[in-house]
Amino acid sequence: MTNVRAIFALVRHDARLQFRYRIYHAYAFVIAFYVVLLIGFRHNLPHWVPALVVFSDPAVLGFFFIGALMLLERAESSRSALALTPVSGADYLRSKAITLTGLALLAVTVLSAFFDTIANWPLLVTGVALTSVHFIGIGVFFARRFRSVTSYLMGSAAFLTPIVAPGFLALNPSMPAWLDIVPAVAQFRLILVASGSATADAAEIVSCLVVAALAAWGGAWLGAETLKTEFGRK
């Protein structure tokens, strides 16, 4: 059973750790770069570009941050110490998902100023949150295969690209509906529809939500199973 008090303690610990590792500083710089880009070229860019920025950055960037955090923790042996406590791998993953997804949602709030309209805020928040959890979970799996932050940031893109690339099919208005079963397509489609950059009927929205939820669950399961090698089956 999840210990809620322990999760809150882990979240506070992770927030302090991410601040110390300058994750927030790096993310603020990235968002500032996108803001400058969108201000400078807003009238020359397709209307769906802000939605693409949200999909490819706040939603997906957790993949890179979780790996960087894990490798920094490994270098300091802090995760090894944590593994000796009653905290489980699932608890560790939940804490990281809460802090990094919260950061993604904060970034979306900033970037939303550059959408022409927000058609559905709850759908946008849900789509970004599910996408973030999915990529954080699979980020844990891939991070275990690298030895340093630099190698992860450079090498993990080779794994991430084929996972994210199909999402661009969602930009095609004549895309066959069955392609919504591809997680990246469903995730990006939700963000496009929620931001007012595309339209979809209720059935398609529900199907995309189901696929995105299953992808988030699958990513979280994969991440938790990966962490059991360190934390054990607590």
Side-chain angles (χ1 to χ4, degrees):
M1 175 180 279
T2 300
N3 187 325
V4 176
R5 184 173 297 179
I7 292 296
F8 279 132
L10 278 173
V11 168
R12 289 195 299 271
H13 169 74
D14 276 336
R16 289 193 295 267
L17 198 66
Q18 289 162 23
F19 182 82
R20 180 159 66 85
Y21 287 148
R22 298 186 177 274
I23 294 293
Y24 299 147
H25 303 73
Y27 204 48
F29 176 82
V30 171
I31 296 304
F33 169 78
Y34 280 118
V35 167
V36 170
L37 182 68
L38 291 172
I39 289 175
F41 297 95
R42 184 174 185 179
H43 300 295
N44 303 107
L45 296 171
H47 68 283
W48 44 260
V49 168
L52 175 61
V53 170
V54 168
F55 173 65
S56 64
D57 201 305
V60 175
L61 209 62
F63 176 90
F64 292 106
F65 280 157
I66 187 66
L69 285 167
M70 288 181 63
L71 289 163
L72 287 168
E73 288 174 348
R74 176 192 289 173
E76 294 185 351
S77 300
S78 59
R79 199 164 66 254
S80 298
L82 195 61
L84 298 175
T85 71
V87 171
S88 68
D91 292 335
Y92 173 91
L93 181 60
R94 288 187 190 99
S95 178
K96 289 291 192 290
I98 289 170
T99 52
L100 293 177
T101 299
L103 191 59
L105 293 175
L106 179 62
V108 169
T109 302
V110 174
L111 293 171
S112 66
F114 299 95
F115 288 114
D116 293 330
T117 59
I118 299 293
N120 192 322
W121 257 109
L123 185 63
L124 180 62
V125 168
T126 302
V128 169
L130 291 174
T131 304
S132 177
V133 171
H134 172 227
F135 283 100
I136 288 169
I138 63 176
V140 169
F141 174 79
F142 287 116
R144 293 269 303 168
R145 281 135 184 84
F146 291 86
R147 306 301 271 175
S148 69
V149 174
T150 302
S151 64
Y152 179 77
L153 294 178
M154 295 179 63
S156 62
F159 297 105
L160 182 63
T161 299
I163 298 172
V164 173
F168 289 91
L169 294 171
L171 292 172
N172 184 355
S174 59
M175 178 192 75
W178 63 265
L179 282 174
D180 286 338
I181 64 173
V182 179
V185 174
Q187 292 158 350
F188 190 21
R189 188 71 173 160
L190 287 173
I191 294 171
L192 285 167
V193 172
S195 65
S197 301
T199 59
D201 58 30
E204 183 177 6
I205 292 173
V206 169
S207 68
C208 286
L209 280 170
V210 170
V211 171
L214 289 173
W217 177 86
W221 177 86
L222 179 63
E225 287 294 310
T226 301
L227 289 167
K228 284 179 180 177
T229 59
E230 289 184 55
F231 287 84
R233 297 184 176 273
K234 300 175 183 176

